[in-house]
Amino acid sequence: MKLKIAVLPGDGIGPEIVGQALQVTEAVCKRFGHDLSHQHAWVGACAIDRFGNPYPEETHQLCMESDAVLFGAIGDPKYDNNPSAKVRPEQGLLGMRKQLGLYANIRPVTTFPSLIHKSPLRQEVVEGTDLMCIRELTSGIYFGRPQGRSEDGNIAYDTCVYSREEVERIVRLAYKYARQRHKKVTVIDKANVLCTSRLWREVAQEIAKENPDITTEYIFVDNAAMQLVQFPTRFDVLVTENMFGDILTDEASVITGSLGMLPSASIGIHTSVFEPIHGSYPQAAGKDIANPVATILSAALMFEYAFGLTEEGAAIRRAVAASIDAGITTEDICRGNKAYKCSEVGQWITDYIAKEK
Ligand code: IPM
Ligand code: MN
């Protein structure tokens, strides 16, 4: 198969982790006989420095012409404590999501048996966790208008807006995945307070009726935040609006031990984007110490979701699991053993894929 991917490393550790994921992708293509071509482009703070735009038109064009996008991370500390900055790296990410129509962000959370002790939660609570968060990604309070300040600057406002159509398409997607998994959908909202949440619930109830083979439950977001750490194994597919999803998926990500392990897929109207859920970790940039696993597992999602190549995705997952079992891990998860470099972990996983029979 011919695979054309856009590679957007971004800022901080982005270039290092994406470099490893790309090497793994190349090894998979070689082993399974795919013809891979890839091209790099700028996004985030580095794109502001070069072009004054965190998501330049050239980058967008490349994404549109590619079959999938492999994305690193964006963000730079020079913007974090500077609320008056006119252009911010995050606008690049939001602009990309909007322009590519990436309305669904899928974050699977599974445990690695040999890493369970790294979880901040007790082993018996975490064991067997296997859930999938589906976060709406191109609407809600992130994009709603009006947004701004009063003339005197003393009042600020954001607006949460959802249309029926936006809710419908994401909830339907949740049912589609639940059907392939454990047949349970948890709809998370704040329908006791928010108007948009009442629309979510109304639409979800209609779609639930069309899917009688799937169990549906509705819970408020505050309760969901609690249950995620108390009973993570009770969840299968969770679906929620943009900002609730942002917060809950960070929470869910540490259940398994390290934020450095979890991949994501953003899918929608145009080209899908695959990226780790962690940020650009600027303190580690250039030191070759970041955990490349989340990005490597994002490449696995890319094979599965963008190309329908499940064997290839499974090969990456097996190689990652083997690296953890063999103790070839970066410092965030090394359990007092030797900490390997980002590039050493990537190389080990690449070699495993090349040699596996
Ligand atoms: C994420 C990030 C982004 C978000 C930021 C960087 C804009 O936290 O992908 O979860 O809030 O969506
Ligand atoms: Mn986030």
Side-chain angles (χ1 to χ4, degrees):
M1 192 168 165
K2 257 186 142 60
L3 316 177
K4 181 168 185 249
I5 66 171
V7 180
L8 275 51
D11 305 319
I13 57 169
E16 297 160 56
I17 52 177
V18 164
Q20 298 312 313
L22 186 58
Q23 187 184 310
V24 167
T25 302
E26 283 167 339
V28 170
C29 287
K30 193 154 177 234
R31 174 169 148 194
F32 289 86
H34 301 302
D35 175 7
L36 175 75
S37 64
H38 63 85
Q39 207 175 322
H40 282 70
W42 301 91
V43 68
C46 60
I48 300 178
D49 294 343
R50 279 181 93 91
F51 307 101
N53 178 350
Y55 185 56
E57 185 51 33
E58 269 173 72
T59 302
H60 179 61
Q61 280 313 321
L62 177 69
C63 292
M64 290 296 286
E65 290 157 12
S66 303
D67 304 317
V69 178
L70 190 59
F71 191 98
I74 53 109
D76 190 294
K78 72 183 178 210
Y79 295 96
D80 290 346
N81 291 317
N82 179 11
S84 56
K86 290 241 149 43
V87 239
R88 314 181 60 83
E90 289 77 10
Q91 289 164 346
L93 186 57
L94 299 183
M96 180 182 75
R97 289 172 181 170
K98 196 69 175 178
Q99 290 186 54
L100 293 176
L102 304 173
Y103 61 79
N105 181 232
I106 300 172
R107 295 180 169 183
V109 177
T110 45
T111 49
F112 293 87
S114 50
L115 271 187
I116 277 194
H117 63 281
K118 287 291 290 182
S119 172
L121 304 176
R122 286 197 311 281
Q123 176 163 351
E124 63 267 28
V125 173
V126 180
E127 229 155 32
T129 300
D130 176 14
L131 56 89
M132 177 186 264
C133 293
I134 301 185
R135 165 187 174 192
E136 201 291 326
L137 203 58
T138 51
S139 190
I141 201 163
Y142 273 59
F143 292 96
R145 295 290 180 269
Q147 176 188 64
R149 288 276 188 111
S150 62
E151 237 158 68
D152 67 4
N154 291 329
I155 297 176
Y157 44 88
D158 298 283
T159 310
C160 187
V161 183
Y162 269 104
S163 69
R164 166 173 285 274
E165 190 196 350
E166 287 168 336
V167 180
E168 241 181 76
R169 66 184 175 187
I170 188 101
V171 174
R172 283 194 197 285
L173 197 71
Y175 281 90
K176 180 181 140 196
Y177 287 118
R179 182 158 293 112
Q180 298 161 10
R181 294 174 44 97
H182 305 291
K183 297 195 160 48
K184 180 173 174 192
V185 171
T186 304
V187 180
I188 298 168
D189 61 30
K190 189 75 186 173
N192 50 346
V193 177
L194 301 176
C195 229
T196 41
S197 281
R198 288 192 282 272
L199 175 65
W200 269 77
R201 198 168 280 213
E202 191 181 301
V203 171
Q205 281 168 343
E206 289 166 19
I207 298 173
K209 272 200 207 110
E210 297 167 17
N211 293 276
D213 57 322
I214 310 277
T215 308
T216 305
E217 67 171 0
Y218 305 89
I219 62 178
F220 296 140
V221 61
D222 44 354
N223 183 15
M226 183 186 71
Q227 296 215 29
L228 261 175
V229 288
Q230 213 173 7
F231 313 112
T233 55
R234 71 184 286 294
F235 294 105
D236 179 21
V237 174
L238 299 87
V239 63
T240 191
E241 65 94 52
N242 202 344
M243 192 158 76
F244 296 161
D246 179 45
I247 298 167
L248 290 178
T249 52
D250 261 38
E251 187 192 4
S253 72
V254 293
I255 294 172
T256 56
S258 173
L259 192 60
M261 306 296 293
L262 291 187
S264 84
S266 298
I267 64 174
I269 299 167
H270 302 292
T271 318
S272 302
V273 174
F274 301 87
E275 59 173 311
I277 96 151
H278 60 71
S280 59
Y281 191 14
Q283 307 87 319
K287 295 192 182 147
D288 199 17
I289 56 171
N291 188 346
V293 165
T295 319
I296 291 171
L297 290 173
S298 299
L301 291 180
M302 174 174 81
F303 280 103
E304 294 161 349
Y305 287 64
F307 304 123
L309 298 171
T310 49
E311 278 294 307
E312 286 78 345
I316 295 179
R317 258 186 262 285
R318 279 197 304 277
V320 166
S323 73
I324 296 168
D325 289 343
I328 313 297
T329 50
T330 44
E331 62 177 17
D332 54 320
I333 52 170
C334 69
R335 293 180 265 168
N337 298 335
K338 177 181 170 197
Y340 285 81
K341 299 272 179 210
C342 173
S343 56
E344 290 171 328
V345 172
Q347 190 63 50
W348 196 96
I349 293 171
T350 305
D351 292 344
Y352 186 97
I353 290 169
K355 285 189 220 124
E356 191 189 27
K357 291 270 152 33

